[in-house]
Amino acid sequence: MAFTSGGPKGPPLFLCPFRRCVLKGPAVRGKTTEDRRLLELLDPVAEAAGFEIVRLRLMGGDHARRLQIMAERADGIMLVEDCAQLARALNPVLDAADPVAGDYTLEVSSPGIDRPLTRLKDFEAYEGFEARLEIDRLAEGRKRFKGELAGTDGGHVAINLEGEAETALLPFEWLVDAKLVITDALMKRGAEARAARMDVASPLSGDEAPEPIVTSPARSPRKPKPARRSGATDSLKDQKD
């Protein structure tokens, strides 16, 4: 294995033989079957508009559900204007396919500073930063891990475990939750990213979240249904990024 500085501190604590780990896609981007079907529908639309969906969650019960989409541009930036642009691109597809039963609200936001890690490249981009990971089965008697990210190796995520000398190699497809931990180092990186954004566009000021951007009511192509509000918001956490 080849790792840069800050990589594994010793031999792997445990790993899954790669031949047995067919990458079907972890649950970190879409948690439920419904989430994953929506990702299959919306991923190509987002990509065509110049964005990548970081995570999708359809939350709530049978009524007043919320379709939350975290996304970013290829350069990692996601301004309020970008959220509005992506919402406008997704709305016609959602209206035509009508994949969600009942009334719901579409929310498009940035991932935030303590962002979820949902793609292998996220673990590479944030190598050296602290994270919490959770897998869908027991490994060495545990499902949750906290430590310093140490890059990736094939289809595995490497993490230097807190309080232990070994590095764990976790199969990417086992992950059900992965999120950065807010530290001084992460806050510093966020401040640098915010300064860089100011050269691209005027970022939000203050700690108040922007008003949702409301689009025209959506109607099912099969039969009329209650209006669906569509909002695009830049994550409050990301304003501190």
Side-chain angles (χ1 to χ4, degrees), residues 107-126:
E107 295 182 0
V108 179
S109 72
S110 61
I113 185 170
D114 54 341
R115 58 178 297 141
L117 306 167
T118 63
R119 302 159 296 182
L120 276 172
K121 68 178 184 179
D122 294 335
F123 294 91
E124 296 167 355
Y126 287 90

Side-chain angles (χ1 to χ4, degrees), residues 51-54 69-73 78 86 108-111:
F51 301 95
E52 295 182 21
I53 296 177
V54 175
I69 294 177
M70 292 183 180
E72 63 187 7
R73 299 188 329 223
M78 195 68 177
L86 179 55
V108 179
S109 72
S110 61

